Amino acid sequence: MTRRRMINALASAGEFGDYEDAAVLPADTDPQVYLSRNRLPQPFHLLCEKDTVLSALSGSAYVHLRDSSVLRFRMEIGDHVYVPAGTPHRIVPVEEGVTLRYLSRNPGRHGAAWYCAACDAEVHRYEWQHDNDTPPVQQYVAACARFTSDEAARTCPKCATVHPGIDLAAYNWPAPATV
Ligand SMILES: [Zn+2]
């Protein structure tokens, strides 16, 4: 990564929304770097088929992991958090900050999952094939919109607690293409 590109990424970081994961390097760069400016808790756990690394350019956050020997990292400026392939993880900002995500140029399938606040079981997940031509945030907003509009999907299969929908208006996201 060239210094100039990183400075450009920092300078324009204010334009990015929560968990936007906007690609900031040329399309053939491997690994690709994705940039978000996070203010609110990530409204789902993300699953990546391949390893991913998170890094804080500013601010600080907790990274919550599942199915992992370490369940929570505190991420400060300059820290890198390695997330093994397939590990559900969720960013919860302590203070607003810019987060980088490193992903393979061919990262495979991704998914969004929700877990029950009452019994901790997985409530639901949606998966999709990562497509370098589709901004990841479009997949996130589609998954969140589907989840929010489907009460059966939000009902815990183990204890029947209904998971609340997601207030999509609170996130600086594009409108969902399909619900
Ligand atoms: Zn439950």
Side-chain angles (χ1 to χ4, degrees):
M1 185 181 313
T2 69
R3 196 169 293 176
R4 178 174 295 174
R5 285 191 191 285
M6 185 53 82
I7 290 169
N8 286 343
L10 275 170
S12 59
E15 302 167 11
F16 293 106
D18 287 72
Y19 311 101
E20 185 161 341
D21 279 342
V24 295
L25 298 180
D28 58 353
T29 309
D30 198 4
Q32 177 59 269
V33 177
Y34 298 85
L35 192 149
S36 301
R37 187 177 193 89
N38 301 326
R39 305 160 181 85
L40 299 170
Q42 193 167 20
F44 53 86
H45 281 71
L46 183 69
L47 299 96
C48 302
E49 184 177 346
K50 297 184 181 176
D51 297 349
T52 184
V53 173
L54 299 171
S55 179
L57 273 186
S58 64
S60 64
Y62 285 106
V63 182
H64 295 263
L65 308 175
R66 296 183 63 91
D67 310 330
S68 167
S69 58
V70 177
L71 297 178
R72 192 174 76 164
F73 283 103
R74 173 85 182 237
M75 187 168 67
E76 304 286 351
I77 294 172
D79 288 345
H80 290 71
V81 174
Y82 166 72
V83 181
T87 303
H89 58 288
R90 176 174 182 244
I91 298 168
V92 178
V94 177
E95 55 182 310
E96 176 179 326
V98 175
T99 303
L100 298 179
R101 174 185 295 281
Y102 296 81
L103 277 174
S104 162
R105 187 160 68 92
N106 298 300
R109 294 183 66 76
H110 284 179
W114 292 267
Y115 298 89
C116 182
C119 78
D120 209 39
E122 181 174 314
V123 176
H124 203 74
R125 74 166 65 180
Y126 299 107
E127 296 186 0
W128 59 89
Q129 180 70 33
H130 178 89
D131 170 1
N132 288 331
D133 295 327
T134 303
V137 69
Q138 290 188 13
Q139 307 282 12
Y140 304 157
V141 74
C144 289
R146 281 179 72 187
F147 185 66
T148 299
S149 66
D150 185 351
E151 186 169 318
R154 288 189 288 109
T155 302
C156 176
K158 188 173 172 190
C159 77
T161 297
V162 177
H163 194 292
I166 297 152
D167 178 12
L168 288 168
Y171 294 83
N172 186 26
W173 283 350
T178 55
V179 174

